[in-house]
């Protein structure tokens, strides 16, 4: 029986392919990976893919769906063919992400202090000040190192020409980094022969960088800060990631019920030896649920009095409260201008061209070109409510038109980007599927970007939506040395 | 020194308890299967329900205590909180809350074990396969204990894990003795028993508690009820005896104080002392059914109180 090569019949059509490059112009460093993949052969690839999937179940690298008394564990579908980024491309992303995080932090510090950027009319004041995620309690509060966004995930796509574009900033609780590291461990076990001598940058020290950064932003005069990870608990679909992060940092994975704020305005955790002071909280709970005394009264997930301790500077929250205003899809549109304003630099990573429907001209353009554009509601996450014009029916477009007209400020529109593709194993065939990339940046005093990131892949043919809640999967991301 | 969160101490305690409980449930099902096969048939599945106080709940969903019904009730019925699958499910949920503390190997094993049980269907529990299934459950629980011993970091949590483990084991040993004396046909004075048959039951009981060969080494000849009872209650070298378990508990409590400055309440210490006394000082009529019943009830009651006292002091 002859071995079936992996990439022989692979056709990336007119899209930019992350592995094979465009016809006739192989990207440096990727040739060897293609050769090794062909050497492994399709059958072996399929067998290993099945084993890898079973291993994910056994290791419990899952998100859990609870219904009735049943707990159903699901895995994020994993594709065994890696997404490859060359050293030169990575250098651009690394610089671009650091620039963006720096601008985001300066922007947040400004809008919660002097509001110069609003006074100078660079960003409309009402867009920021009336934003649901703008937290008045943050006004005038000084944060250690001036860092608001300690953990940032910036969604980057690549267009037909191979240029990187930022699709979205995630400045609240970006998730997915556990998959970056676990996918790599899985690949190391499953494909030692593919990774030999390639030279791939390490991702396994994420926890160390995170722990160091969080220690750097502890309240002043604390030598050996106690860091905890605050999770909503194991009913949360991202619980595995919380486990992962706590384990990688070696810190307690706490829930609201484990913490309390005492009369001295300090935060404590309940231990077998009595209360122990907590200095830094990496919280994976949204602002609204943090403190029932300050925000939602019905929140059972948070800690009563936490905001009191925070306002007194007795505890650091990562990310800071009120960062959501910076990753709003409408504020996103202003990011190139925000970068120019604070850093006097052009954005290294471009935005996708964005029309803000709150602006009359942009609204008109959007309504006139509805069938060619991607329309997104600004308040939603996870790909919900996104309409891809060229793929929508006439009825869907009519409905969208009515919604946008009724509440223009709730929408932005962007041209359809022909996202780059990466070879993906599906039903025994290797086919091109669209991918994006979420690099993770960790900021204490300075910003460090994990060399890799989460590559999400749209498993449905032709689909441009890569979100896991919309049928997406993930790949290991290789940044070459 | 980083201190253990109260909630995790509780999770560790219960992870150990549920795993130990699943193992012992498998032992009890296995021994009962042998009893039933030897002599009396279907109605002999009733004592298991009695010793777990499960009659009422059981007869709400089943008409008779047939082998099939009882085995299903204790192995696969998720709605029955005293079933093996419910115990392993609880063990896994506790492990889930501990995932960042325990080794990946510990979590994976519990997870795979749970997956295997979930995959079992009624046809896998036919009586001729029951012993095999019970052996698999026992082995999986033992694998868990072994992986934990080999990989869990020896912090305070290790002590709370073992408190749960030995407390549950003592409780289960008392229930194992119960099942012998709860059998209606045997709950009578020794003189009226059929000695040969009684010996064979003690034999089975010893084997289910993995104590047969050890017992033989101590008592090379004969199978006297009082000897077996003393063996289960207070042989200091038998790992499942009540005395062994209580001494382990006392040592763990002492270490928590010595190594971590966690002083157990007087309540806890007194309960342990009383348990030790009960197990070590058998009286002359020790092998009479009614006496053993009362003794086991007293031990089980004290163990519940001990568990509550540990909970009250450390888990909040």
């Amino acid at each position: 029986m002859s071995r079936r090569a992996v990439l022989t019949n692979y056709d990336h059509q007119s899209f930019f392919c992350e592995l094979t490059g465009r016809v006739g112009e192989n990207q440096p460093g990727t040739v060897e990976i293609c050769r090794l993949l062909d050497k492994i052969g399709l059958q072996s690839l399929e067998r290993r893919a099945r084993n890898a999937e079973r291993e994910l179940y056994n290791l419990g690298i899952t998100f859990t769906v609870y219904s009735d008394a049943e707990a159903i564990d699901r895995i994020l579908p994993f594709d065994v063919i890696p997404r490859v980024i060359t050293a030169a491309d990575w250098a651009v992303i690394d610089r671009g992400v650091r620039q963006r995080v720096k601008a985001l932090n300066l922007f947040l510090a400004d809008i919660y202090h002097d509001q110069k950027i609003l006074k100078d009319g660079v960003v409309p004041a009402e867009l920021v000040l009336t934003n649901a995620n703008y937290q008045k309690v943050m006004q005038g509060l000084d944060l250690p190192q001036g860092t608001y966004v300690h953990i940032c995930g910036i969604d980057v796509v690549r267009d037909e020409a191979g240029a990187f574009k930022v699709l979205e900033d995630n400045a609240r609780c970006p998730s997915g980094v556990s998959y970056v590291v676990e996918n790599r461990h899985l690949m190391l076990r499953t494909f030692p022969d593919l990774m030999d001598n390639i030279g791939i940058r390490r991702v396994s020290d994420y926890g160390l960088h995170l722990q160091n950064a969080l220690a750097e932003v502890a309240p002043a005069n604390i030598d050996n800060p106690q860091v905890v990870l605050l999770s909503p608990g194991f009913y949360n679909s991202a619980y595995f990631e919380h486990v992962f992060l706590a384990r990688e940092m070696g810190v307690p994975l706490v829930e609201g019920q484990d913490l309390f704020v005492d009369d001295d305005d300090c935060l404590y955790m309940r231990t077998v030896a009595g209360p122990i002071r907590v200095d830094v909280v990496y919280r994976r709970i949204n602002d609204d649920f943090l403190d029932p005394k300050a925000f939602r009264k019905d929140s059972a997930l948070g800690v009563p009095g936490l905001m009191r301790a925070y306002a007194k500077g007795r505890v650091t929250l990562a990310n800071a409260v009120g960062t959501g205003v910076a990753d709003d899809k409408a504020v996103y549109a202003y990011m190139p201008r925000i970068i120019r304003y604070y850093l006097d630099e052009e954005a290294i990573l471009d935005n996708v061209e964005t029309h803000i429907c709150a602006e009359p001209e942009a609204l008109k353009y959007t309504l006139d070109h509805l069938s060619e554009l991607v329309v997104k509601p600004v308040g939603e996450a996870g790909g919900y409510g996104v309409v891809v014009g060229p793929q929508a029916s006439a009825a869907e477009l009519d409905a969208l038109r009515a919604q946008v007209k009724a509440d223009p400020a709730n929408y932005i529109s962007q041209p359809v980007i022909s996202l780059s593709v990466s070879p993906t194993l599906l039903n025994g065939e290797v086919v091109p599927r669209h991918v994006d990339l979420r690099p993770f940046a960790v900021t204490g005093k300075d910003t460090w970007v994990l060399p890799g990131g989460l590559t999400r892949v749209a498993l449905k043919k032709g689909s441009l939506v890569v979100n896991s809640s919309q049928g997406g999967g993930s790949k290991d991301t290789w940044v070459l040395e | 020194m980083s201190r253990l969160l109260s909630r995790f101490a509780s999770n560790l305690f219960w992870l150990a308890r549920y795993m130990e409980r699943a193992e012992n449930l498998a032992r009890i099902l296995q021994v009962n299967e042998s009893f039933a096969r030897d002599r009396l048939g279907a109605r002999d599945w009733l004592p298991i329900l009695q010793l777990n106080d499960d009659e009422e709940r059981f007869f709400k969903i089943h008409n008779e205590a047939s082998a099939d019904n009882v085995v299903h009730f204790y192995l696969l019925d998720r709605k029955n909180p005293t079933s093996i699958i419910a115990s392993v499910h609880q063990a896994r949920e506790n492990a889930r809350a501990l995932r960042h503390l325990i080794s990946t190997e510990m979590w994976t094993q519990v997870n795979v074990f749970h997956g295997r049980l979930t995959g079992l269907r009624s046809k896998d529990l036919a009586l001729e396969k029951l012993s095999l299934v019970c052996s698999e459950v026992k082995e999986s629980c033992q694998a868990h204990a072994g992986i934990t011993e080999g990989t869990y970091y020896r912090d305070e949590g290790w002590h709370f894990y073992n408190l749960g483990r030995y407390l549950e084991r003592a409780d289960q040993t008392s229930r194992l003795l119960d099942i012998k004396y709860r059998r209606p046909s045997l709950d009578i004075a020794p003189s009226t028993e059929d000695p040969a048959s009684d010996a064979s039951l003690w034999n089975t009981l010893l084997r289910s508690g993995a104590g047969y060969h050890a017992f033989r080494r101590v008592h090379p000849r004969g199978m006297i009820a009082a000897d077996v009872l003393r063996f289960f209650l207070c042989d200091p070298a038998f790992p499942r005896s009540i005395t062994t378990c209580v001494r382990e508990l006392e040592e763990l409590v002492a270490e928590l104080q010595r190594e971590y400055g966690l002083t157990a309440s007087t309540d806890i210490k007194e309960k342990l002392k009383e348990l030790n006394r009960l197990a070590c000082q058998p009286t002359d009529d020790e092998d009479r059914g009614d006496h053993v019943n009362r003794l086991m009830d007293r031990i089980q009651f004290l163990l519940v109180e001990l568990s509550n006292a540990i909970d009250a002091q450390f888990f909040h």
Side-chain angles (χ1 to χ4, degrees), chain A residues 57 60 73 239 253 258 272, chain B residues 4 7-8 92 96 99 111:
Chain A
Y57 276 113
D73 287 322
Y239 181 70
L253 174 55
D258 301 316
V272 290
Chain B
L4 184 70
R7 184 163 54 88
F8 301 145
R92 180 166 173 262
R96 196 196 287 279
R99 277 182 71 178
N111 201 30

Side-chain angles (χ1 to χ4, degrees), chain B residues 177 180-181 188-191 193 195 198-199 202-203 205-206 215 218-219 221-235 279-289 291-292 295-296:
Chain B
L177 291 175
K180 165 71 173 67
Y181 282 97
I188 42 177
S191 59
E193 280 186 37
D198 198 39
W202 282 117
N203 186 323
L205 204 64
L206 278 165
F215 179 82
V218 187
H219 303 280
R221 277 176 302 279
M223 185 68 70
I224 300 162
D227 288 345
V228 181
L229 189 59
R230 259 201 299 278
F231 185 75
F232 272 109
L233 273 173
C234 57
D235 188 302
C280 288
Q281 298 180 341
T283 53
D284 286 344
D285 58 350
E286 63 202 12
D287 57 339
R288 288 183 60 96
H291 168 75
V292 175
L295 181 61
M296 293 310 140

Side-chain angles (χ1 to χ4, degrees), chain A residues 95-399:
Chain A
R95 278 193 302 126
V97 167
R98 281 189 285 124
Q99 179 195 48
R100 208 154 170 114
V101 170
K102 195 169 179 186
L104 284 169
N105 277 312
L106 290 169
F107 173 68
L108 284 161
D110 187 19
I111 62 170
Y112 287 122
H113 287 84
D114 301 338
Q115 305 185 341
K116 287 187 199 128
I117 197 167
L118 308 182
K119 287 170 189 155
D120 289 342
V122 176
V123 176
E126 78 275 5
L127 185 66
V128 171
L129 300 178
T130 63
N131 193 296
N133 292 308
Y134 184 83
Q135 303 285 9
K136 285 208 173 60
V137 292
M138 294 302 291
Q139 284 174 351
L141 187 62
D142 294 330
L143 301 182
Q145 315 287 357
T147 301
Y148 286 76
V149 184
H150 307 84
I151 298 99
C152 191
I154 291 177
D155 289 348
V156 179
V157 296
R158 211 169 197 195
D159 64 15
E160 304 95 314
F164 290 108
K165 306 258 177 176
V166 174
L167 204 56
E168 198 173 309
D169 301 294
N170 295 283
R172 278 173 272 187
C173 291
S175 64
V177 74
S178 56
Y179 292 106
V180 177
V181 179
E182 293 292 348
N183 286 353
R184 176 64 54 81
H185 288 168
L186 192 61
M187 286 299 282
L188 283 166
R189 288 191 296 269
T190 319
F191 288 92
D193 45 347
L194 181 58
M195 304 173 87
D196 256 1
N197 303 320
I198 295 290
I200 304 162
R201 295 189 59 184
R202 290 175 346 129
V203 293
S204 55
D205 51 0
Y206 181 80
L208 195 67
H209 283 272
L210 183 57
Q211 169 78 279
N212 287 343
L214 293 176
E216 283 171 5
V217 294
N221 305 322
I222 291 177
D223 284 340
N224 199 359
Q226 173 71 56
V227 177
V228 299
L229 193 125
L230 176 61
S231 163
F234 60 57
Y235 290 96
N236 188 274
S237 62
Y239 181 70
F240 167 70
E241 176 142 313
H242 308 162
V243 168
F244 169 87
L245 291 165
R247 197 167 58 196
E248 292 296 309
M249 288 193 288
V251 305
L253 174 55
V254 308
E255 296 174 17
Q257 52 171 319
D258 301 316
L259 303 176
F260 69 96
V261 176
D262 212 340
D263 292 340
D264 59 1
D265 300 329
C266 293
L267 179 68
Y268 294 91
M269 59 180 181
R270 301 173 212 275
T271 80
V272 290
I276 300 274
R277 176 95 185 259
V278 174
D279 307 300
V280 181
V281 181
Y282 178 10
R283 46 92 171 211
R284 296 294 296 250
I285 293 181
N286 291 337
D287 287 358
D288 281 357
F289 293 92
L290 272 180
D291 178 353
K293 284 189 171 167
F295 304 111
R296 282 180 64 150
K297 308 263 177 293
D298 60 342
S299 170
L301 304 174
V303 186
L306 183 57
M307 286 306 291
R308 191 176 86 229
Y310 188 50
K312 295 249 166 133
R314 301 280 159 77
V315 64
T316 298
L317 298 178
N319 289 347
V321 171
T323 56
V325 65
D327 70 10
D328 184 281
K329 287 192 178 73
V331 173
Y332 154 89
Y334 291 92
M335 273 308 286
R337 290 176 240 181
I338 291 173
I339 291 171
R340 215 173 293 132
Y341 182 78
Y342 293 112
L343 305 176
D344 200 20
E345 294 168 3
E346 291 304 310
I348 297 166
L349 294 172
D350 265 343
N351 267 16
V352 174
E353 180 191 355
T354 302
H355 312 283
I356 304 164
C357 296
E359 298 174 352
E361 266 178 50
L363 175 65
K364 182 173 185 306
Y365 180 87
T366 301
L367 292 173
D368 288 350
H369 298 84
L370 216 49
S371 64
E372 302 152 31
L373 297 169
V374 180
V375 179
K376 299 176 176 178
V378 294
E380 301 285 337
Y384 291 103
V386 172
V387 178
V388 180
Q391 293 175 3
S393 68
E396 282 168 328
L397 287 177
D398 285 343

Side-chain angles (χ1 to χ4, degrees), chain A residues 57-61 64 66 70-71 73 234 239-240 243 246-247 251-255 257-258 269-273 276, chain B residues 2-9 78 89 92-93 96-100 102 104 107-108 111-112 156 160 262 313-314 316:
Chain A
Y57 276 113
N58 289 349
L59 286 168
I61 301 177
T64 307
Y66 285 88
E70 301 277 313
D73 287 322
F234 60 57
Y239 181 70
F240 167 70
V243 168
R247 197 167 58 196
V251 305
L253 174 55
V254 308
E255 296 174 17
Q257 52 171 319
D258 301 316
M269 59 180 181
R270 301 173 212 275
T271 80
V272 290
I276 300 274
Chain B
S2 163
R3 301 310 299 250
L4 184 70
L5 240 62
S6 302
R7 184 163 54 88
F8 301 145
R78 295 166 159 278
H89 176 76
R92 180 166 173 262
E93 292 305 286
R96 196 196 287 279
L98 292 164
R99 277 182 71 178
H100 75 294
I102 60 180
T104 309
W107 163 254
T108 305
N111 201 30
V112 172
E156 302 118 299
F160 287 103
L262 298 173
Q313 185 180 351
F314 295 111
H316 296 280

